[in-house]
Amino acid sequence: MTKRAFILVFLGCSSAAAQVPAIPFDSVPEPLQLPNDIYFGEVTGVAVNSKGHVFVLSRGNTTGPAYAAAATQLLEFDQSGKFVREIGKNLYAWSFGHTVRVDREDNIWVTDKGSDMVVKFNPAGRVLMVFGRKQEASDEDTGPLKHPKPPLAAEPGRFRQVTDVAFDPAGNAYISDGYINSRVAKVDKNGRWLKSWGDRGTKPGEFNTPHSIAADAKGNIYVADRGNRRIQVFDGEGTFMREIRIDVPYDKSAQPAIGNLPDLAKLEAAGAPLTMAPGAPWTVCITPGPNQVLYASDAYPGRVYKLSLEGKVLGVLGESGKQLKQFGWIHEIACPSENVLYVAELLNWRVQKLMLHPR
Protein backbone atom coordinates (compact mmCIF):
# COMPACT_ATOMS: atom_id res chain seq x y z
CA MET A 1 0.00 0.00 0.00
CA THR A 2 1.46 3.38 -1.01
CA LYS A 3 1.83 6.26 1.39
CA ARG A 4 -0.51 8.32 -0.77
CA ALA A 5 -3.27 5.74 -0.43
CA PHE A 6 -3.75 6.53 3.23
CA ILE A 7 -4.62 9.68 5.11
CA LEU A 8 -4.37 10.16 8.82
CA VAL A 9 -7.78 10.97 10.18
CA PHE A 10 -8.50 12.46 13.58
CA LEU A 11 -12.11 12.33 14.74
CA GLY A 12 -13.60 14.70 17.29
CA CYS A 13 -15.47 11.72 18.77
CA SER A 14 -12.34 9.58 19.10
CA SER A 15 -9.03 10.14 20.79
CA ALA A 16 -7.16 7.72 18.57
CA ALA A 17 -5.94 8.39 15.06
CA ALA A 18 -6.87 5.84 12.43
CA GLN A 19 -5.65 5.25 8.91
CA VAL A 20 -8.42 5.68 6.33
CA PRO A 21 -8.07 4.88 2.62
CA ALA A 22 -8.60 7.20 -0.28
CA ILE A 23 -11.40 5.44 -2.17
CA PRO A 24 -10.75 4.80 -5.88
CA PHE A 25 -13.72 5.85 -8.00
CA ASP A 26 -14.91 6.69 -11.50
CA SER A 27 -17.30 9.35 -12.75
CA VAL A 28 -19.69 8.17 -15.46
CA PRO A 29 -19.49 10.52 -18.47
CA GLU A 30 -22.81 12.27 -19.27
CA PRO A 31 -24.99 10.20 -16.92
CA LEU A 32 -28.08 12.33 -17.67
CA GLN A 33 -29.27 13.32 -21.14
CA LEU A 34 -31.01 16.69 -21.31
CA PRO A 35 -33.28 17.66 -24.22
CA ASN A 36 -31.84 20.25 -26.62
CA ASP A 37 -33.90 23.11 -25.19
CA ILE A 38 -33.34 22.47 -21.45
CA TYR A 39 -30.22 23.37 -19.49
CA PHE A 40 -29.10 22.94 -15.92
CA GLY A 41 -28.36 26.02 -13.85
CA GLU A 42 -26.81 25.62 -10.41
CA VAL A 43 -27.72 22.06 -9.50
CA THR A 44 -28.82 22.18 -5.87
CA GLY A 45 -30.39 18.75 -5.40
CA VAL A 46 -30.45 15.16 -6.61
CA ALA A 47 -32.46 12.15 -5.44
CA VAL A 48 -33.16 8.60 -6.65
CA ASN A 49 -36.43 6.65 -6.29
CA SER A 50 -37.03 2.91 -5.93
CA LYS A 51 -37.05 2.44 -9.74
CA GLY A 52 -33.68 4.11 -10.16
CA HIS A 53 -35.19 7.29 -11.61
CA VAL A 54 -33.11 10.38 -10.88
CA PHE A 55 -34.68 13.68 -9.80
CA VAL A 56 -32.63 16.82 -10.27
CA LEU A 57 -33.37 20.20 -8.73
CA SER A 58 -31.76 22.98 -10.73
CA ARG A 59 -31.73 26.73 -10.55
CA GLY A 60 -32.45 26.73 -14.25
CA ASN A 61 -35.20 28.20 -16.44
CA THR A 62 -34.83 31.44 -14.50
CA THR A 63 -37.39 34.21 -14.95
CA GLY A 64 -37.63 37.71 -13.58
CA PRO A 65 -35.07 40.38 -12.67
CA ALA A 66 -31.39 39.72 -12.22
CA TYR A 67 -31.84 39.98 -8.47
CA ALA A 68 -34.51 37.72 -6.92
CA ALA A 69 -35.32 35.90 -10.14
CA ALA A 70 -37.40 32.73 -9.84
CA ALA A 71 -34.88 29.90 -10.09
CA THR A 72 -36.23 26.40 -9.48
CA GLN A 73 -36.75 23.55 -11.93
CA LEU A 74 -37.46 19.90 -11.06
CA LEU A 75 -36.47 17.37 -13.73
CA GLU A 76 -36.85 13.58 -13.84
CA PHE A 77 -34.64 11.06 -15.68
CA ASP A 78 -35.10 7.30 -16.00
CA GLN A 79 -32.64 4.68 -14.77
CA SER A 80 -30.65 4.92 -18.03
CA GLY A 81 -30.36 8.70 -17.74
CA LYS A 82 -32.98 9.51 -20.39
CA PHE A 83 -35.06 12.63 -19.74
CA VAL A 84 -38.61 11.82 -18.66
CA ARG A 85 -40.34 15.09 -17.72
CA GLU A 86 -40.35 18.36 -15.85
CA ILE A 87 -42.43 18.33 -12.66
CA GLY A 88 -44.27 21.40 -11.33
CA LYS A 89 -43.40 23.80 -14.14
CA ASN A 90 -44.08 27.37 -12.96
CA LEU A 91 -45.26 26.12 -9.55
CA TYR A 92 -46.28 28.91 -7.17
CA ALA A 93 -43.72 27.76 -4.58
CA TRP A 94 -40.79 27.89 -7.00
CA SER A 95 -38.36 30.65 -6.12
CA PHE A 96 -34.83 29.47 -5.19
CA GLY A 97 -34.61 25.68 -5.04
CA HIS A 98 -32.52 24.06 -2.33
CA THR A 99 -32.90 20.24 -2.14
CA VAL A 100 -34.98 17.34 -3.44
CA ARG A 101 -35.66 14.08 -1.58
CA VAL A 102 -37.68 10.92 -2.29
CA ASP A 103 -39.44 9.09 0.56
CA ARG A 104 -40.11 5.36 0.98
CA GLU A 105 -43.34 5.59 -1.05
CA ASP A 106 -41.58 7.37 -3.93
CA ASN A 107 -43.16 10.71 -3.12
CA ILE A 108 -40.93 13.61 -4.17
CA TRP A 109 -40.21 16.43 -1.71
CA VAL A 110 -38.64 19.77 -2.58
CA THR A 111 -37.40 22.48 -0.23
CA ASP A 112 -37.30 26.01 -1.63
CA LYS A 113 -35.10 28.46 0.23
CA GLY A 114 -36.56 31.48 -1.57
CA SER A 115 -40.26 30.84 -0.93
CA ASP A 116 -39.72 29.29 2.55
CA MET A 117 -41.82 26.32 1.45
CA VAL A 118 -41.63 22.52 1.34
CA VAL A 119 -43.70 20.77 -1.33
CA LYS A 120 -44.60 17.07 -1.41
CA PHE A 121 -45.48 15.56 -4.81
CA ASN A 122 -46.89 12.08 -5.39
CA PRO A 123 -45.04 9.80 -7.85
CA ALA A 124 -47.30 11.08 -10.66
CA GLY A 125 -46.00 14.59 -10.01
CA ARG A 126 -49.13 16.09 -8.42
CA VAL A 127 -48.91 18.23 -5.30
CA LEU A 128 -49.99 16.31 -2.17
CA MET A 129 -49.02 18.69 0.64
CA VAL A 130 -47.36 22.07 1.10
CA PHE A 131 -45.63 23.37 4.22
CA GLY A 132 -44.86 26.99 5.00
CA ARG A 133 -45.99 30.01 3.01
CA LYS A 134 -44.22 32.36 0.64
CA GLN A 135 -44.37 36.11 1.12
CA GLU A 136 -47.26 37.81 -0.64
CA ALA A 137 -46.31 39.72 -3.76
CA SER A 138 -48.80 42.47 -2.82
CA ASP A 139 -47.24 43.28 0.56
CA GLU A 140 -45.12 46.45 0.69
CA ASP A 141 -42.63 44.84 3.07
CA THR A 142 -42.07 41.78 0.87
CA GLY A 143 -38.37 41.37 0.13
CA PRO A 144 -35.26 39.46 1.12
CA LEU A 145 -35.42 38.16 4.68
CA LYS A 146 -33.24 39.88 7.27
CA HIS A 147 -30.79 38.20 9.64
CA PRO A 148 -31.43 40.02 12.93
CA LYS A 149 -29.24 39.40 15.98
CA PRO A 150 -30.62 38.03 18.17
CA PRO A 151 -32.75 36.14 15.64
CA LEU A 152 -36.52 36.37 15.65
CA ALA A 153 -38.37 33.55 17.38
CA ALA A 154 -39.39 30.70 15.10
CA GLU A 155 -43.10 29.97 14.55
CA PRO A 156 -44.88 26.64 14.12
CA GLY A 157 -45.67 25.95 10.50
CA ARG A 158 -43.51 28.72 9.05
CA PHE A 159 -39.94 28.57 7.79
CA ARG A 160 -37.18 31.08 7.15
CA GLN A 161 -34.93 29.90 4.34
CA VAL A 162 -35.66 26.20 4.71
CA THR A 163 -32.93 23.79 3.58
CA ASP A 164 -33.80 20.05 3.55
CA VAL A 165 -36.11 17.21 4.63
CA ALA A 166 -35.68 13.61 5.84
CA PHE A 167 -38.05 10.77 6.77
CA ASP A 168 -38.11 8.18 9.55
CA PRO A 169 -39.51 4.62 9.25
CA ALA A 170 -42.88 5.74 10.68
CA GLY A 171 -43.33 8.29 7.89
CA ASN A 172 -42.63 11.39 9.98
CA ALA A 173 -40.78 14.15 8.14
CA TYR A 174 -37.96 16.24 9.63
CA ILE A 175 -37.33 19.64 8.07
CA SER A 176 -34.10 21.58 8.58
CA ASP A 177 -34.86 25.27 8.90
CA GLY A 178 -32.40 26.81 7.98
CA TYR A 179 -30.36 29.91 7.12
CA ILE A 180 -32.30 32.25 9.44
CA ASN A 181 -34.20 29.94 11.77
CA SER A 182 -31.86 27.41 13.34
CA ARG A 183 -33.92 24.35 14.14
CA VAL A 184 -35.38 21.03 13.03
CA ALA A 185 -39.16 20.73 12.62
CA LYS A 186 -41.06 17.43 12.83
CA VAL A 187 -44.39 16.71 11.10
CA ASP A 188 -46.28 13.41 10.96
CA LYS A 189 -47.27 11.48 7.84
CA ASN A 190 -50.54 13.42 7.66
CA GLY A 191 -48.77 16.76 7.74
CA ARG A 192 -49.60 17.59 11.36
CA TRP A 193 -47.00 19.79 13.05
CA LEU A 194 -45.59 17.86 16.01
CA LYS A 195 -42.67 19.87 17.37
CA SER A 196 -39.41 21.60 16.64
CA TRP A 197 -36.08 21.84 18.43
CA GLY A 198 -32.94 23.92 18.25
CA ASP A 199 -31.87 27.55 18.11
CA ARG A 200 -28.83 29.48 16.94
CA GLY A 201 -25.65 28.70 18.86
CA THR A 202 -22.73 26.33 19.28
CA LYS A 203 -23.89 24.12 22.14
CA PRO A 204 -25.25 20.60 21.63
CA GLY A 205 -28.69 20.91 20.07
CA GLU A 206 -27.94 24.40 18.71
CA PHE A 207 -27.20 25.15 15.07
CA ASN A 208 -25.46 27.54 12.73
CA THR A 209 -27.13 26.82 9.38
CA PRO A 210 -28.59 23.31 9.59
CA HIS A 211 -27.99 22.73 5.88
CA SER A 212 -28.77 19.05 5.25
CA ILE A 213 -30.57 16.28 7.12
CA ALA A 214 -30.90 12.48 6.96
CA ALA A 215 -32.41 9.64 9.02
CA ASP A 216 -31.13 6.12 9.62
CA ALA A 217 -33.16 2.90 9.77
CA LYS A 218 -33.71 3.36 13.52
CA GLY A 219 -35.17 6.82 13.07
CA ASN A 220 -32.15 8.72 14.38
CA ILE A 221 -31.69 12.13 12.77
CA TYR A 222 -28.37 13.41 11.39
CA VAL A 223 -28.08 17.16 10.85
CA ALA A 224 -25.29 18.81 8.87
CA ASP A 225 -24.64 21.75 11.18
CA ARG A 226 -22.53 23.44 8.54
CA GLY A 227 -21.59 26.71 10.20
CA ASN A 228 -20.46 24.83 13.31
CA ARG A 229 -18.46 22.33 11.21
CA ARG A 230 -20.11 19.24 12.66
CA ILE A 231 -22.85 16.67 12.21
CA GLN A 232 -25.24 16.41 15.14
CA VAL A 233 -27.18 13.21 15.82
CA PHE A 234 -30.55 13.15 17.61
CA ASP A 235 -33.26 10.64 18.30
CA GLY A 236 -36.64 11.20 16.66
CA GLU A 237 -37.80 13.39 19.56
CA GLY A 238 -34.86 15.75 19.29
CA THR A 239 -32.78 14.39 22.17
CA PHE A 240 -29.11 15.03 21.46
CA MET A 241 -27.09 11.82 21.12
CA ARG A 242 -23.65 12.75 19.80
CA GLU A 243 -21.73 14.91 17.37
CA ILE A 244 -19.44 13.90 14.55
CA ARG A 245 -16.51 16.03 13.39
CA ILE A 246 -14.59 15.34 10.21
CA ASP A 247 -10.95 16.30 10.79
CA VAL A 248 -9.03 14.87 7.85
CA PRO A 249 -5.60 16.34 7.03
CA TYR A 250 -5.44 17.95 3.61
CA ASP A 251 -3.03 19.70 1.27
CA LYS A 252 -3.12 23.29 2.52
CA SER A 253 -2.04 24.53 -0.90
CA ALA A 254 -5.11 22.97 -2.49
CA GLN A 255 -6.97 25.51 -4.61
CA PRO A 256 -10.58 26.24 -3.66
CA ALA A 257 -13.28 25.80 -6.27
CA ILE A 258 -13.86 29.56 -5.99
CA GLY A 259 -12.65 32.33 -3.72
CA ASN A 260 -9.70 32.70 -1.38
CA LEU A 261 -8.06 30.00 0.68
CA PRO A 262 -10.04 29.73 3.93
CA ASP A 263 -8.08 30.56 7.08
CA LEU A 264 -9.57 28.25 9.71
CA ALA A 265 -7.74 29.88 12.63
CA LYS A 266 -8.91 33.34 11.61
CA LEU A 267 -12.50 32.18 11.11
CA GLU A 268 -12.57 30.52 14.52
CA ALA A 269 -10.99 33.54 16.23
CA ALA A 270 -13.61 35.84 14.68
CA GLY A 271 -16.49 33.55 15.62
CA ALA A 272 -17.52 33.46 11.96
CA PRO A 273 -19.50 30.60 10.41
CA LEU A 274 -17.18 27.77 9.42
CA THR A 275 -18.98 27.15 6.12
CA MET A 276 -15.78 27.03 4.07
CA ALA A 277 -13.65 25.23 6.65
CA PRO A 278 -12.30 21.78 5.81
CA GLY A 279 -14.71 19.13 7.03
CA ALA A 280 -17.69 21.51 7.32
CA PRO A 281 -20.56 19.27 6.16
CA TRP A 282 -22.67 20.72 3.36
CA THR A 283 -24.45 17.40 2.82
CA VAL A 284 -25.44 14.20 4.57
CA CYS A 285 -26.81 11.06 2.93
CA ILE A 286 -27.38 7.63 4.49
CA THR A 287 -27.48 4.49 2.36
CA PRO A 288 -30.37 1.99 2.49
CA GLY A 289 -29.97 -1.59 3.62
CA PRO A 290 -29.00 -3.35 6.82
CA ASN A 291 -25.39 -2.06 6.84
CA GLN A 292 -25.87 1.65 6.50
CA VAL A 293 -23.09 4.18 5.98
CA LEU A 294 -23.14 7.95 5.83
CA TYR A 295 -21.73 10.20 3.11
CA ALA A 296 -20.92 13.87 3.62
CA SER A 297 -19.07 16.51 1.62
CA ASP A 298 -17.36 19.85 2.15
CA ALA A 299 -16.76 22.84 -0.13
CA TYR A 300 -13.05 23.03 0.70
CA PRO A 301 -10.95 21.10 -0.07
CA GLY A 302 -13.97 19.73 -1.95
CA ARG A 303 -14.08 16.10 -0.89
CA VAL A 304 -16.65 13.39 -0.21
CA TYR A 305 -16.30 11.46 3.05
CA LYS A 306 -17.61 7.99 3.84
CA LEU A 307 -18.39 7.42 7.53
CA SER A 308 -19.90 4.82 9.79
CA LEU A 309 -23.06 5.94 11.56
CA GLU A 310 -20.98 6.18 14.73
CA GLY A 311 -18.76 8.78 13.05
CA LYS A 312 -15.66 6.85 12.03
CA VAL A 313 -14.29 8.08 8.71
CA LEU A 314 -14.02 5.04 6.43
CA GLY A 315 -12.72 6.71 3.29
CA VAL A 316 -12.35 9.94 1.34
CA LEU A 317 -12.48 10.82 -2.35
CA GLY A 318 -12.26 13.73 -4.76
CA GLU A 319 -11.04 17.31 -4.80
CA SER A 320 -12.15 20.74 -6.01
CA GLY A 321 -12.07 21.42 -9.74
CA LYS A 322 -13.93 21.47 -13.04
CA GLN A 323 -13.15 18.06 -14.50
CA LEU A 324 -14.84 14.72 -13.91
CA LYS A 325 -13.97 13.34 -10.45
CA GLN A 326 -13.51 16.93 -9.26
CA PHE A 327 -16.20 18.94 -7.52
CA GLY A 328 -17.51 22.49 -7.37
CA TRP A 329 -19.48 22.86 -4.15
CA ILE A 330 -21.45 19.63 -3.80
CA HIS A 331 -24.86 20.74 -2.53
CA GLU A 332 -26.62 17.38 -2.20
CA ILE A 333 -25.70 13.70 -2.44
CA ALA A 334 -28.00 10.80 -3.36
CA CYS A 335 -26.66 7.43 -2.20
CA PRO A 336 -28.91 4.62 -3.52
CA SER A 337 -26.21 2.11 -2.58
CA GLU A 338 -22.90 2.10 -0.78
CA ASN A 339 -20.84 2.31 -3.96
CA VAL A 340 -23.05 4.42 -6.24
CA LEU A 341 -23.41 8.13 -5.55
CA TYR A 342 -25.00 11.01 -7.41
CA VAL A 343 -23.62 14.45 -6.51
CA ALA A 344 -25.27 17.78 -7.36
CA GLU A 345 -22.83 20.63 -7.92
CA LEU A 346 -23.56 24.33 -7.62
CA LEU A 347 -20.52 25.75 -9.36
CA ASN A 348 -20.22 23.22 -12.20
CA TRP A 349 -23.95 23.13 -13.09
CA ARG A 350 -24.08 19.34 -13.26
CA VAL A 351 -24.77 15.98 -11.66
CA GLN A 352 -21.97 13.44 -11.50
CA LYS A 353 -22.63 9.72 -11.09
CA LEU A 354 -19.80 8.21 -9.07
CA MET A 355 -18.90 4.53 -9.04
CA LEU A 356 -16.80 3.69 -5.98
CA HIS A 357 -14.27 0.85 -5.91
CA PRO A 358 -13.22 0.43 -2.26
CA ARG A 359 -10.33 -1.94 -1.73
Side-chain angles (χ1 to χ4, degrees):
M1 187 66 67
T2 64
K3 182 178 180 181
R4 187 178 179 183
F6 285 94
I7 300 171
L8 283 177
V9 178
F10 299 92
L11 294 176
C13 58
S14 173
S15 61
Q19 287 188 324
V20 177
I23 301 173
F25 72 105
D26 294 308
S27 179
V28 177
E30 299 184 10
L32 305 176
Q33 292 88 54
L34 283 164
N36 291 333
D37 58 346
I38 294 180
Y39 301 87
F40 288 143
E42 291 186 338
V43 180
T44 66
V46 62
V48 180
N49 73 5
S50 65
K51 298 178 181 178
H53 284 213
V54 180
F55 298 85
V56 177
L57 192 67
S58 165
R59 292 172 184 162
N61 194 35
T62 53
T63 58
Y67 181 78
T72 305
Q73 193 170 26
L74 179 59
L75 307 174
E76 180 180 356
F77 301 82
D78 69 15
Q79 61 270 30
S80 67
K82 181 180 178 181
F83 178 77
V84 175
R85 58 177 172 164
E86 179 177 355
I87 299 171
K89 185 176 177 65
N90 295 325
L91 193 74
Y92 181 62
W94 285 169
S95 177
F96 198 60
H98 204 262
T99 56
V100 58
R101 297 282 189 178
V102 176
D103 66 22
R104 289 168 176 79
E105 297 177 346
D106 278 348
N107 299 305
I108 308 140
W109 298 63
V110 172
T111 62
D112 193 294
K113 175 187 173 186
S115 66
D116 305 316
M117 296 192 71
V118 182
V119 181
K120 176 184 179 181
F121 300 89
N122 67 15
R126 306 305 301 180
V127 174
L128 287 182
M129 283 194 284
V130 295
F131 301 86
R133 187 168 189 252
K134 69 186 291 186
Q135 297 182 69
E136 294 184 31
S138 60
D139 286 359
E140 62 178 285
D141 293 330
T142 292
L145 296 178
K146 307 297 183 182
H147 296 71
K149 294 183 179 180
L152 299 175
E155 300 177 53
R158 290 184 181 270
F159 305 107
R160 294 192 185 104
Q161 297 191 354
V162 64
T163 56
D164 201 4
V165 60
F167 322 99
D168 69 16
N172 299 305
Y174 299 80
I175 300 166
S176 53
D177 173 38
Y179 280 82
I180 295 178
N181 290 340
S182 300
R183 63 172 177 173
V184 173
K186 180 180 180 180
V187 299
D188 70 14
K189 63 182 180 181
N190 297 314
R192 185 169 65 96
W193 184 275
L194 298 177
K195 66 187 307 180
S196 70
W197 71 84
D199 205 343
R200 183 170 295 275
T202 60
K203 298 175 183 177
E206 297 178 338
F207 304 106
N208 188 337
T209 314
H211 192 261
S212 181
I213 191 167
D216 66 21
K218 297 179 180 178
N220 297 317
I221 307 302
Y222 299 69
V223 182
D225 185 11
R226 187 176 71 176
N228 286 325
R229 205 176 72 88
R230 63 185 179 184
I231 298 168
Q232 294 196 68
V233 186
F234 304 88
D235 69 15
E237 295 303 313
T239 302
F240 176 81
M241 299 173 68
R242 62 183 178 276
E243 74 172 29
I244 298 169
R245 291 189 179 270
I246 303 171
D247 293 319
V248 179
Y250 64 98
D251 180 357
K252 295 187 178 180
S253 66
Q255 183 177 356
I258 193 171
N260 297 321
L261 282 167
D263 187 328
L264 181 57
K266 186 176 293 186
L267 289 170
E268 290 179 333
L274 302 178
T275 302
M276 297 303 299
W282 282 47
T283 60
V284 284
C285 183
I286 295 176
T287 60
N291 300 310
Q292 294 184 299
V293 295
L294 182 149
Y295 285 97
S297 64
D298 59 15
Y300 181 79
R303 299 188 293 196
V304 176
Y305 303 91
K306 178 181 180 180
L307 301 95
S308 71
L309 297 188
E310 291 71 37
K312 179 181 179 181
V313 179
L314 304 174
V316 63
L317 58 109
E319 62 183 356
S320 292
K322 304 292 187 186
Q323 302 304 311
L324 293 182
K325 302 176 67 174
Q326 297 177 330
F327 308 121
W329 287 10
I330 294 173
H331 199 260
E332 188 171 23
I333 297 175
C335 49
S337 69
E338 184 171 345
N339 294 317
V340 177
L341 306 180
Y342 291 84
V343 297
E345 298 177 67
L346 284 187
L347 298 182
N348 291 329
W349 295 14
R350 67 183 177 188
V351 172
Q352 289 194 66
K353 181 179 181 181
L354 310 180
M355 310 298 293
L356 280 57
H357 309 293
R359 294 185 174 91

